[in-house]
Amino acid sequence: MNTSADMSGTNANNNPYQQNPNTSMQNKTQQQLDDEAAEAKKKRAGPKRRKVTHACVYCRRSHMTCDDGRPCQRCIKRNIGHLCHDEPKNSSSSQVSSNSNNSGSSGSQMQEGRRASQHQQQQLSQFQSTSQQMQGSVNNIYGFNNQLSALPATPLTFASEHMGNEYTVISDFLESLGGDQKNVFPEPGMLVNTTEKFFLTAANPSDGSNEDRLTQVINAKFEAGFLKPYNYVNGYSRLQKYMDSYMSNISRQRILNVMGTFRPAFRSVAQSLTDIDLVLVEEAFERLLLDYDRVFSSMGIPACLWRRTGEIYKGNKEFAALVNVPLEMLREGRLCIYELMAEESAVNYWEKYGNIAFDAGQKAVLTSCLLKNPDPDSQNVISCCFSFTIRRDKYNIPTVIVGNFLPVALG
């Protein structure tokens, strides 16, 4: 009797088809979790993104997803929607790819390769010829007639072409003052793709720090011709023409002696500057103009500022009334400071300027001068107590000269 009861109990405990209530509850809970996860995944998935057969040029180069719109949404967000376009297809290359399994496909591909190689060689030869012509024209466009008609080759090596030209002009001044200068500064030729390269760089700069990306964009903008250093060669040319027309030989020789004084210091500083450095200096000059615009508007003393070659770029109404010229003439280099001075005063200014131009320990000079109207027929002069301050850039080159003038009544 006990044996049969034990056997029945053993069979009941070892029945593989009988489910444990705890196990059934666990399986039910796991099934519900799986169903909920699948339903949530379907909700997150949403409509499937359409695949685009052809991406635009910029999305393809950036390896980013494009759409069918032209311009596409990605180019619109990057503010280059006007440049968004598809790269034109080469029908011959597509035909070759579609018949790649045919027996004649290899021969066609070899012919296409030869044609592409010949085309690249022709482009390379044209580019080298254009570069040589550009180099020849750039070496001549900054010159003077007669002795100054062409800038001679100099053994010095300047990192910036503009600084090298300015130094050469100063050297030519010391050799001769004869001849007329042609004030011609043509635009240098540029490769067609430099503008597109700048937009591509600005839209998708390479990886790196913020400073590296900014430098890359500035370099591309400079290569595209959107940023240019100031051309001081034209300023020296203008000074030469004025001295030839309105100054005596003695006065011109005194100004030449000044240029011979500061030429070595200028060479040592300018030799290592690049064009990008000069662009940044020009941006600092523009900021100085904005600062002095507020200063001049709040002061009642006749004042103006000019570049190191003399072109006036800012003046207040008191100074315009003093020399009897419209205020608009004291903008953008329309007048030069030496054109508003008597001959002896202009020579005196250049001598004092040259003595401290590259001396970082001195920046201000107090002297006197005689101002006049730029009209050659005007004989009236105004005696003034005159002070000027030199503002230098971070390379210790004079960038701005600020002058204050106090009229003195002659008894």
Side-chain angles (χ1 to χ4, degrees):
M1 296 293 293
N2 293 333
T3 304
S4 62
D6 292 340
M7 291 178 62
S8 62
T10 303
N11 292 334
N13 292 333
N14 297 331
N15 188 359
Y17 299 101
Q18 184 177 358
Q19 293 185 350
N20 192 342
N22 296 332
T23 305
S24 176
M25 183 64 67
Q26 290 177 359
N27 293 335
K28 183 178 181 180
T29 304
Q30 185 65 32
Q31 184 66 29
Q32 289 178 351
L33 292 175
D34 293 341
D35 294 341
E36 291 176 359
E39 184 178 358
K41 184 176 181 180
K42 290 180 181 180
K43 291 182 179 180
R44 288 196 303 266
K48 187 177 181 180
R49 184 190 297 269
R50 290 185 56 191
K51 291 186 178 180
V52 180
T53 306
H54 302 290
C56 70
V57 175
Y58 301 100
C59 291
R60 180 179 298 178
R61 293 177 182 177
S62 302
H63 303 284
M64 300 297 292
T65 303
C66 190
D67 54 43
D68 292 329
R70 292 294 177 270
C72 66
Q73 292 299 320
R74 183 171 178 271
C75 290
I76 293 175
K77 291 180 181 180
R78 292 179 174 270
N79 295 325
I80 56 171
H82 59 289
L83 299 174
C84 181
H85 65 280
D86 291 332
E87 193 168 4
K89 292 183 179 180
N90 190 350
S91 59
S92 61
S93 63
S94 61
Q95 183 178 1
V96 169
S97 62
S98 62
N99 299 327
S100 58
N101 294 327
N102 296 336
S103 59
S105 62
S106 59
S108 300
Q109 290 179 356
M110 292 176 62
Q111 291 179 359
E112 290 295 333
R114 292 194 190 99
R115 292 175 184 174
S117 177
Q118 293 176 358
H119 183 65
Q120 290 179 357
Q121 291 178 358
Q122 292 177 357
Q123 287 184 339
L124 179 60
S125 61
Q126 292 177 359
F127 173 74
Q128 292 175 349
S129 176
T130 305
S131 300
Q132 292 175 357
Q133 294 176 0
M134 288 169 55
Q135 183 65 29
S137 62
V138 167
N139 290 335
N140 294 326
I141 59 178
Y142 294 99
F144 298 97
N145 268 346
N146 298 335
Q147 287 86 356
L148 305 181
S149 60
L151 295 179
T154 173
L156 298 174
T157 302
F158 285 85
S160 168
E161 181 182 339
H162 289 76
M163 300 305 289
N165 289 329
E166 184 175 351
Y167 174 76
T168 307
V169 169
I170 296 175
S171 300
D172 289 338
F173 263 140
L174 300 180
E175 296 177 2
S176 173
L177 275 174
D180 297 329
Q181 189 269 341
K182 292 183 179 180
N183 190 6
V184 179
F185 186 62
E187 295 291 334
M190 294 188 302
L191 297 178
V192 179
N193 61 347
T194 53
T195 301
E196 183 178 357
K197 178 182 177 182
F198 162 66
F199 286 118
L200 282 173
T201 305
N204 292 300
S206 61
D207 296 335
S209 63
N210 292 333
E211 184 177 355
D212 294 338
R213 290 198 295 267
L214 179 60
T215 302
Q216 184 183 6
V217 172
I218 290 177
N219 290 334
K221 190 174 182 180
F222 172 75
E223 292 174 358
F226 298 137
L227 287 179
K228 295 181 180 179
Y230 182 78
N231 179 29
Y232 281 96
V233 174
N234 285 341
Y236 290 109
S237 305
R238 185 173 179 176
L239 174 61
Q240 183 223 359
K241 292 178 64 176
Y242 183 82
M243 290 190 298
D244 291 341
S245 302
Y246 301 105
M247 288 188 175
S248 63
N249 292 331
I250 297 177
S251 297
R252 287 184 290 177
Q253 187 60 43
R254 290 171 62 184
I255 295 178
L256 283 182
N257 294 335
V258 172
M259 293 188 177
T261 301
F262 66 73
R263 184 179 64 159
F266 178 82
R267 184 187 71 178
S268 63
V269 176
Q271 198 168 354
S272 61
L273 297 183
T274 64
D275 286 342
I276 294 296
D277 295 330
L278 299 182
V279 168
L280 298 178
V281 168
E282 188 63 19
E283 291 182 355
F285 174 80
E286 295 294 337
R287 288 193 292 269
L288 274 177
L289 288 183
L290 295 177
D291 293 339
Y292 275 100
D293 194 13
R294 295 188 291 268
V295 173
F296 285 172
S297 62
S298 62
M299 64 185 298
I301 300 175
C304 65
L305 63 84
W306 55 90
R307 293 182 182 268
R308 61 175 174 268
T309 45
E311 301 97 319
I312 298 176
Y313 268 71
K314 185 76 65 177
N316 58 6
K317 59 182 180 180
E318 287 78 11
F319 184 76
L322 183 63
V323 296
N324 193 22
V325 297
L327 185 61
E328 292 75 16
M329 294 297 295
L330 304 178
R331 298 286 188 275
E332 303 298 330
R334 296 185 178 93
L335 287 174
C336 293
I337 189 62
Y338 51 80
E339 296 174 350
L340 303 178
M341 291 182 176
E343 179 177 339
E344 182 62 27
S345 297
V347 174
N348 180 57
Y349 159 71
W350 280 109
E351 288 178 341
K352 288 181 166 50
Y353 164 78
N355 291 332
I356 68 169
F358 290 90
D359 185 359
Q362 301 185 50
K363 63 178 182 178
V365 174
L366 178 63
T367 181
S368 61
C369 70
L370 294 176
L371 293 180
K372 65 181 184 67
N373 187 272
D375 186 1
D377 298 331
S378 179
Q379 301 297 327
N380 296 329
V381 294
I382 304 101
S383 178
C384 296
C385 180
F386 168 44
S387 68
F388 64 90
T389 303
I390 299 177
R391 298 291 301 270
R392 301 177 177 88
D393 57 28
K394 61 181 181 180
Y395 306 107
N396 198 36
I397 296 180
T399 304
V400 174
I401 295 92
V402 184
N404 297 320
F405 303 84
L406 289 176
V408 178
L410 297 177

